[in-house]
């Protein structure tokens, strides 16, 4: 007898297992969170997040000390015991200052000119640029230049609170620590100019920054190089009068700085000939260096930040490039799909189109079934009323719900039941092929129903002796739920429109298990249905291509299948499909280097399938991640227009597919919601399949729960079912 305590512990463990987040959700979620984090970091260092681009208009100056307004360009407000003062640069000394860098194009050229003429200067760097280009900051320090802070993302500090100012300074120092292992005591406010331009809005900021231990450096000579007035004008405006010392403002970033670089090439030697020395600020003032080495945790923290920025830049850069490439390929595919689908429909719908003499001889229909009690009666009834002579073989694969008994009790003509131990769908189909009396075998699922004309339409292409297999038109029968409607769109657009294109390209990747026909000779030549993969339909189709057979699409061979009605069932089905498709691609990979029909399929069909069924969908979530980012931080209007443009292209393709299949357009109302919700589930399924494949995991066959509510138009009515048999959409 089991004691209460162990039973209680088992119940607790069971509840814990139920609450644990499944790995199939956890891993994709972690990857998406990591991607979003890198995107946010990239946006932060590109001044797209938390940036404030407001600029304060001029204000009164009555609160600014006269000593500051009439003083020099270096303001010392660090002392709490004496008034703030200012300093000037001694005569015949020039402190060249460069703002807004480092820039990967122009800063190296500026540094080259300074090194060429043995000159030094001060670079007031922003944290955003320093964290993205740390090597340039390191070069500045190594070549003897001083570095100052210019805030992290260049806001007007007169609008900011003390906490935001502290944040700007600390983040700027963090970037310097990670880039060059230093701290600096020099600071230049964004949008600053001369000392006499200090006003009641900017002066409190200068006092507060001084209280944090910084020298504030403005300028007394503005080259106005940012206006790009020409090299002579820059040199003229940068030249001090009467041999006086100066702090000269230039820029090594923020736009095209070719005129600045050219002006330096002339200005430096000219002023040196006049006896000027180009030096660092602290050297000119005879003060200790502004740089302090950073050690310990602060150094590692800075290095970690810079490395994180580098990782986010590289990863998001690659992803953006990959997304652009995939986006172009997808648009090309949409165009190709529309064009080739049009050509296919035009060809097969011509009045004089024919596969050859009408095929009227009997064929064998194989129905593999495992626990299909709810569906099997409707399936068999739909076959009995076929307008083409058929032999119906139901292969019961070890069902435990009486599936075979139901078929036998129906006592229908031309219906045989073959029982076998449970061995899987491929084994059941091979067993059926062995018992088939005719040279053409039609395969369908035990949850599918055919229209009376389906078999006849499906087998007509075999009048062409080159045809080895035919794909039918699988349709969703239970489309009255939201998930069913989404799958209906997917089947019509993503499957059947694709099959028209693949038919023209002669590289059909999959004969749907719900409705397909095969020449028995062709199956014998490739060894029948293989158990090597979980997608035996894709596997056998690829094998037929490699053996030289043509695989075509019969648009009027309609079959109505019961699509999964819950998220869990849909997950199980698509997980198996995705993983099985990867297995089939890997199994037939040698076709890429082979000759003849196998090589043609390997170099046309396999890359097409791998790119658009495995690789492109894996990158597609980037669209939604970048959409979310653009809506919150980027140009919202352009982002929305771009997304609507992509949706419009998909809507056009879907509408054309519905028109070709003569489907009602009303189901397309849910297309935008499908793109937002349903598509995400398919992405996660594919990602989980990748993880399973890469980790060497194995996936078992999974049986979906069926309700048996699907009936084909024109088929004999099945037994009535109470409405309570319908399972709600999860």
């Amino acid at each position: 007898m089991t004691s209460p305590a162990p039973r209680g512990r088992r119940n607790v463990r069971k509840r814990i297992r139920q609450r644990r987040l499944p790995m199939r959700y956890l891993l994709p979620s972690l990857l998406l969170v990591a991607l979003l984090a890198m995107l946010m970091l990239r946006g932060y260092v590109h001044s797209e997040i938390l940036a404030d681009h407001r600029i304060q208009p001029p204000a009164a100056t009555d609160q600014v000390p006269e000593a500051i307004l009439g003083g020099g360009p270096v303001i010392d407000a660090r002392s709490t015991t004496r008034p703030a003062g200012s300093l000037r640069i001694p005569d015949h000394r020039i402190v060249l200052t460069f703002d807004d860098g480092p820039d990967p194009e122009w800063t190296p050229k500026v540094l080259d000119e300074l090194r060429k003429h043995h000159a030094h200067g001060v670079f007031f760097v922003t944290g955003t640029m320093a964290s993205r280009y740390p090597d340039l900051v390191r070069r500045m320090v190594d070549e003897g230049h001083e570095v100052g802070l210019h805030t992290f993302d260049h806001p007007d500090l007169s609008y900011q609170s003390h906490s935001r100012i502290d944040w700007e300074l600390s983040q700027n120092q963090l970037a310097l620590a990670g880039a060059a292992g230093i701290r600096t005591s020099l600071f230049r406010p964004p949008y600053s100019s001369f000392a006499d331009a200090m006003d009641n809005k900017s002066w409190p900021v200068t006092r507060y920054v001084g209280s944090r231990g910084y020298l504030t450096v403005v300028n007394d000579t503005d080259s106005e190089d940012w206006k790009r007035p020409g090299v002579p004008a820059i040199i003229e405006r940068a030249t001090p009068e009467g041999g006086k010392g100066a702090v000269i403002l230039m820029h090594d970033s923020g736009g095209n700085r070719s005129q600045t670089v050219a002006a330096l090439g002339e200005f430096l030697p000219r002023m040196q000939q006049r006896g000027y020395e180009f030096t660092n600020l602290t050297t000119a003032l005879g003060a200790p260096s502004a740089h302090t080495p950073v050690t310990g945790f602060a150094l590692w923290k800075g290095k970690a930040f810079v490395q994180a920025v580098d990782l986010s830049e590289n990863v998001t850069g690659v992803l953006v490039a990959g997304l652009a490439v995939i986006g172009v390929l997808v648009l090309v595919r949409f165009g190709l799909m529309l064009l080739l689908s049009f050509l296919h429909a035009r060809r097969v719908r011509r009045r004089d189109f024919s596969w050859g003499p009408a095929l009227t001889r009997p064929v064998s229909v194989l129905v593999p079934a495992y626990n299909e009690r709810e569906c099997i009666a409707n399936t068999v009834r739909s076959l009995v009323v076929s307008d083409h002579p058929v032999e119906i073989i139901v292969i019961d694969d070890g069902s435990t719900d009486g599936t075979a008994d139901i078929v036998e009790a129906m006592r229908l003509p031309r219906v045989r039941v073959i029982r076998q131990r449970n061995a899987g769908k491929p084994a059941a189909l091979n067993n059926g092929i062995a018992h088939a009396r005719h040279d053409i075998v039609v395969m369908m699922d035990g949850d599918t129903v055919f229209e009376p004309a389906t078999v006849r339409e499906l087998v007509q292409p075999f009048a062409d002796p080159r045809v080895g297999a035919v794909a039918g038109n699988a349709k969703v029968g239970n489309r009255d739920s939201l998930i069913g409607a989404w799958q209906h769109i997917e089947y019509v657009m993503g499957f059947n429109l694709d099959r028209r294109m693949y038919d023209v390209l002669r590289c059909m990747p999959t004969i749907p298990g719900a409705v397909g026909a095969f020449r028995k000779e062709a199956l014998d030549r490739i060894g029948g249905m293989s158990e090597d993969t979980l997608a035996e339909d894709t596997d056998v189709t690829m094998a037929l291509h490699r053996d030289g057979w043509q695989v075509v699409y019969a648009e009027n061979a309609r079959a109505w299948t019961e699509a999964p009605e819950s998220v869990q069932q849909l997950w199980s089905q698509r997980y198996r499909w995705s993983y099985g498709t990867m297995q089939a691609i890997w199994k037939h990979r040698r076709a890429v280097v082979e000759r003849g029909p196998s090589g043609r399929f390997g170099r046309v069909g396999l890359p097409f399938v791998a790119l658009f069924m495995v690789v492109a969908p894996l990158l597609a979530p980037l669209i939604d991640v970048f959409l979310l980012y653009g809506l919150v931080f980027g140009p919202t209007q352009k982002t929305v227009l771009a997304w609507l443009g992509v949706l419009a292209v998909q809507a056009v393709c879907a509408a054309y597919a519905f028109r070709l299949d003569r489907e009602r357009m009303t189901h397309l109302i849910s297309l935008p919601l499908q793109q937002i919700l349903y598509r995400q589930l398919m992405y996660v399924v594919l990602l989980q399949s990748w993880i399973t494949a890469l980790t060497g995991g194995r996936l078992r066959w999974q049986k979906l729960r069926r309700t048996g509510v699907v009936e084909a138009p024109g088929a004999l009515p099945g037994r009535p079912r109470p409405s309570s048999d319908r399972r709600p959409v999860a």
Side-chain angles (χ1 to χ4, degrees):
M1 180 175 179
T2 304
S3 63
R7 185 185 303 116
R9 285 194 294 269
R10 285 198 301 270
N11 290 336
V12 170
R13 287 196 296 267
K14 183 177 179 181
R15 286 195 296 270
I16 291 175
R17 286 196 300 268
Q18 290 174 344
R19 293 175 184 173
R20 189 178 298 160
L21 188 64
M23 189 62 67
R24 63 174 177 263
Y25 298 124
L26 180 61
L27 288 177
S29 299
L30 290 176
L31 287 174
L32 288 178
V33 168
L35 172 61
L36 189 58
M38 286 189 287
L39 191 60
M40 296 284 285
L41 180 58
R42 184 181 186 276
Y44 177 51
V45 299
H46 281 259
S47 298
E48 295 172 347
I49 298 176
L50 300 179
D52 188 345
H53 302 292
R54 295 173 298 171
I55 302 177
Q56 190 77 252
T61 62
D62 56 290
Q63 298 177 12
V64 184
E66 288 295 331
I68 299 300
L69 292 175
V74 182
I75 302 171
D76 187 355
R78 295 175 293 179
S79 177
T80 58
T81 59
R82 55 182 175 82
S86 63
L87 302 169
R88 295 184 182 275
I89 304 301
D91 291 348
H92 290 97
R93 292 190 179 182
I94 290 178
V95 178
L96 282 175
T97 63
F98 301 91
D99 283 10
D100 302 337
D103 181 275
E105 180 177 2
W106 302 112
T107 300
K109 296 178 181 180
V110 169
L111 289 170
D112 289 343
E113 289 295 332
L114 294 175
R115 182 172 57 185
K116 177 181 177 181
H117 298 285
H118 307 287
H120 292 97
V122 182
F123 290 83
F124 288 97
V125 300
T126 63
T128 58
M129 301 298 283
S131 59
R132 289 159 59 192
Y133 308 107
D135 292 344
L136 292 176
V137 179
R138 194 174 303 115
R139 179 182 170 184
M140 295 171 187
V141 176
D142 291 344
E143 294 183 1
H145 306 287
E146 281 186 322
V147 178
L149 304 185
H150 201 41
T151 72
F152 189 80
D153 59 7
H154 207 273
D156 188 335
L157 295 183
S158 61
Y159 277 110
Q160 312 304 324
S161 65
H162 285 177
S163 61
R164 175 62 186 268
I165 294 174
D166 287 340
W167 174 262
E168 291 287 333
L169 296 175
S170 64
Q171 290 297 103
N172 205 170
Q173 293 280 25
L174 180 67
L176 280 187
I182 62 166
R183 287 179 56 85
T184 183
S185 59
L186 304 181
F187 171 74
R188 171 170 285 171
Y191 309 107
S192 61
S193 57
F194 304 134
D196 60 8
M198 197 75 66
D199 58 28
N200 295 347
K201 296 291 186 180
S202 57
W203 173 240
V205 174
T206 302
R207 284 190 306 172
Y208 180 75
V209 171
S211 72
R212 310 302 289 176
Y214 293 94
L215 281 174
T216 296
V217 183
V218 288
N219 72 88
D220 53 13
T221 305
D222 188 354
S223 69
E224 297 186 355
D225 62 335
W226 58 275
K227 294 181 179 179
R228 304 190 76 244
V231 171
I234 292 175
I235 294 175
E236 179 183 354
R237 295 168 186 174
T239 302
E241 297 179 358
K244 294 181 179 180
V247 174
I248 300 176
L249 173 62
M250 289 185 171
H251 297 80
D252 64 327
S253 185
N256 187 328
R257 297 296 173 235
S258 58
Q259 291 186 5
T260 302
V261 174
L264 285 173
E266 297 182 24
F267 181 67
L268 291 171
R270 180 183 302 180
M271 300 307 293
Q272 287 172 337
Q273 290 174 2
R274 296 182 184 180
Y276 276 91
E277 180 184 359
F278 292 90
T279 183
N280 292 335
L281 179 69
T282 55
T283 302
L285 297 176
S289 172
H291 295 169
T292 303
V294 176
T295 59
F297 177 73
L299 177 62
W300 289 108
K301 183 180 176 182
K303 289 184 177 295
F305 175 72
V306 169
Q307 289 174 359
V309 170
D310 182 62
L311 178 65
S312 70
E313 288 279 304
N314 291 332
V315 172
T316 55
V318 170
L319 291 178
V320 168
L323 183 62
V325 172
I326 292 296
V328 171
L329 291 176
V330 168
L331 291 177
V332 170
R333 176 176 175 266
F334 276 138
L336 190 64
M337 191 163 56
L338 288 175
L339 174 62
L340 297 184
S341 297
F342 169 77
L343 295 177
H344 177 271
R346 183 178 180 182
R347 174 170 61 87
V348 301
R349 293 180 180 182
R350 292 200 316 262
R351 292 182 180 273
D352 60 343
F353 175 78
S354 172
W355 292 103
L359 195 151
T360 58
R361 63 182 184 272
V363 299
S364 300
V365 181
L366 309 183
V367 186
Y370 172 71
N371 287 349
E372 298 287 1
R373 178 184 182 89
E374 292 82 5
C375 310
I376 196 64
N378 286 346
T379 299
V380 175
R381 285 193 184 96
S382 72
L383 294 173
V384 170
V385 299
S386 173
D387 61 11
H388 191 90
V390 295
E391 168 199 35
I392 304 166
I393 304 176
V394 178
I395 308 99
D396 184 86
D397 186 36
S399 297
T400 59
D401 65 349
T403 297
D405 297 333
I406 292 174
V407 178
E408 290 175 340
M410 295 172 70
R411 298 182 182 278
L412 295 173
R414 306 188 308 279
V415 178
R416 284 191 291 155
V417 177
I418 299 174
R419 298 174 185 258
Q420 68 176 40
R421 292 183 178 180
N422 182 252
K425 186 177 179 182
L429 289 172
N430 285 330
N431 196 1
I433 294 170
H435 285 81
R437 299 191 179 106
H438 306 293
D439 62 339
I440 294 176
V441 291
V442 174
M443 298 181 185
M444 66 184 300
D445 290 335
D447 58 3
T448 303
V449 293
F450 279 6
E451 295 180 4
T454 299
V455 175
R456 172 171 50 82
E457 294 286 349
L458 193 61
V459 301
Q460 292 310 309
F462 289 107
D464 185 341
R466 297 170 299 176
V467 173
V470 180
N473 188 346
K475 290 186 167 297
V476 175
N478 53 330
R479 59 182 74 172
D480 52 343
S481 64
L482 187 58
I483 289 183
W486 288 343
Q487 291 176 87
H488 173 49
I489 296 174
E490 181 185 27
Y491 271 60
V492 175
M493 176 186 174
F495 296 162
N496 293 332
L497 199 62
D498 266 356
R499 288 193 179 100
R500 297 177 189 274
M501 175 182 66
Y502 287 129
D503 188 326
V504 177
L505 293 176
R506 294 167 55 195
C507 60
M508 185 88 62
T510 304
I511 298 290
V515 53
F518 299 84
R519 198 182 295 275
K520 200 173 179 182
E521 175 193 354
L523 291 174
D524 291 340
R525 279 171 44 174
I526 63 171
M529 307 299 292
S530 173
E531 299 182 11
D532 295 340
T533 73
L534 291 177
E536 83 291 335
D537 45 7
T538 300
D539 189 354
V540 72
T541 308
M542 291 182 176
L544 289 172
H545 279 296
R546 296 183 66 187
D547 195 42
W549 294 97
Q550 288 189 18
V551 181
V552 300
Y553 173 60
E555 62 175 350
N556 293 323
R558 289 180 288 270
W560 300 79
T561 187
E562 183 174 343
E565 289 199 336
S566 71
V567 173
Q568 181 61 46
Q569 292 180 12
L570 181 62
W571 179 283
S572 298
Q573 182 194 70
R574 300 312 170 86
Y575 188 18
R576 179 174 62 83
W577 286 4
S578 297
Y579 188 61
T581 299
M582 292 180 185
Q583 288 178 312
I585 292 173
W586 182 252
K587 176 181 176 180
H588 296 283
R589 64 190 183 278
R590 288 192 57 82
V592 176
V593 297
E594 293 176 344
R595 296 183 178 181
S598 181
R600 184 189 182 281
F601 174 75
R603 289 182 285 276
V604 177
L606 273 186
F608 216 94
V609 174
L611 180 61
F612 292 111
M613 295 181 67
V614 177
V615 177
L618 194 64
L619 295 178
L622 294 177
I623 299 175
D624 303 296
V625 173
F626 283 102
L627 169 66
L628 180 62
Y629 179 86
L631 289 175
V632 178
F633 304 110
T636 303
Q637 185 176 2
K638 292 181 179 179
T639 301
V640 172
L641 289 176
W643 185 79
L644 290 177
V646 174
L647 181 63
V649 172
Q650 293 176 318
V652 169
C653 289
Y656 183 64
F658 270 59
R659 182 176 179 274
L660 284 180
D661 267 23
R662 300 179 178 88
E663 292 284 353
R664 294 168 56 190
M665 299 287 180
T666 52
H667 287 98
L668 291 179
I669 295 175
S670 63
L671 180 63
L673 197 59
Q674 184 207 40
Q675 297 302 303
I676 296 174
L677 299 178
Y678 180 81
R679 194 177 59 178
Q680 313 310 317
L681 178 62
M682 296 299 101
Y683 296 156
V684 179
V685 168
L686 184 61
L687 185 58
Q688 184 67 15
S689 301
W690 268 100
I691 294 171
T692 303
L694 293 175
T695 56
R698 295 186 64 83
L699 190 63
R700 298 178 301 169
W701 283 93
Q702 299 177 15
K703 177 71 174 67
L704 301 181
R705 180 178 173 182
R706 301 300 185 182
T707 62
V709 298
V710 175
E711 295 182 0
L716 291 177
R719 59 185 177 88
R721 300 182 61 85
S723 59
S724 61
D725 283 354
R726 291 302 304 273
R727 299 181 68 237
V729 176

